[in-house]
Amino acid sequence: MMESTQIDIKSQLLADCQEFVAVTDKLSEDQFKRQVDGKWSVAEVMQHLYLSARPVARLMAGPREVFSQWGQAEMPSRSYETIAAIYQKALTLRRQAPPSMSPRPEDMQVEKPVIIDRFSGIYQALTEATNGWSDDDLDLLLIPHPLLGYLTVREMLYFTSTHTQHHLRLLPKL
């Protein structure tokens, strides 16, 4: 039964990715890249989500020893719903992503399929990176989050999903 939780996380992340891509498939290149009311374009949101998921995927795919610098969890992982609620509350305190998680103009000078492939690729890499992770390791090892502090790896995967869902809800209705 060790794999059941991981499969749920993987399925959710892939579903989030597919839902986002399905929205973008309906948009013209102009709609995809157009900023509305000074907010990020759909393309920029996808790049932001890519930049947010990439370090998690890289950490999870790399050597576990890296995690020792952040210590170990002293309590069980919180639920998806709890992480989502903590994130929603945190959003009221800070409205901007850190520069390292914000799209740069040079990243956006590509066509729509490149941005979608980049986004889809990192979500695929993230789900593949969960292979070989035990439930114990998902709940024991920590990753620092710039807004939420230290999260277990499982909580970080939950955050990635709720973060994607948050941005899906905010997409302009074009």
Side-chain angles (χ1 to χ4, degrees), residues 6-171:
Q6 291 181 49
I7 292 168
D8 292 342
I9 294 166
K10 290 165 75 166
S11 298
Q12 182 62 50
L13 289 168
L14 289 175
D16 294 336
C17 177
Q18 290 165 353
E19 186 178 354
F20 215 103
V21 170
V23 170
T24 64
D25 282 345
K26 299 172 188 163
L27 304 177
S28 68
E29 183 83 21
D30 178 63
Q31 290 171 318
F32 183 65
K33 291 194 171 180
R34 184 185 322 135
Q35 292 185 344
V36 177
D37 298 329
K39 301 204 184 296
W40 281 342
S41 68
V42 175
E44 289 168 320
V45 170
M46 280 189 110
Q47 179 67 13
H48 163 67
L49 292 169
Y50 160 78
L51 291 169
S52 299
R54 184 176 62 176
V56 181
R58 287 182 174 170
L59 279 168
M60 289 185 71
R64 301 273 164 90
E65 299 80 47
V66 171
F67 291 87
S68 65
Q69 66 187 306
W70 301 306
Q72 294 185 343
E74 296 178 6
M75 53 190 194
S77 289
R78 294 163 287 186
S79 70
Y80 182 97
E81 294 77 15
T82 300
I83 295 299
I86 291 168
Y87 176 54
Q88 287 304 312
K89 184 176 181 186
L91 285 173
T92 65
L93 307 174
R94 179 176 171 180
R95 294 181 181 21
Q96 286 190 324
S100 63
M101 302 295 158
S102 299
R104 302 175 308 175
E106 57 267 29
D107 294 329
M108 306 315 299
Q109 301 302 315
V110 294
E111 300 298 310
K112 177 180 165 185
V114 174
I115 295 169
I116 292 172
D117 286 350
R118 188 187 291 158
F119 170 82
S120 298
I122 203 61
Y123 277 67
Q124 185 64 43
L126 183 57
T127 60
E128 289 172 7
T130 66
N131 294 336
W133 278 77
S134 68
D135 277 344
D136 288 345
D137 282 348
L138 287 172
D139 293 324
L140 183 65
L141 301 178
L142 298 172
I143 299 178
H145 184 281
L147 183 58
L148 305 181
Y150 288 100
L151 300 176
T152 66
V153 175
R154 182 185 311 281
E155 291 170 341
M156 185 64 85
L157 294 170
Y158 289 164
F159 165 79
T160 302
S161 175
T162 196
H163 183 221
T164 307
Q165 289 295 319
H166 163 75
H167 282 289
L168 265 168
R169 286 189 301 273
L170 292 179
L171 288 180

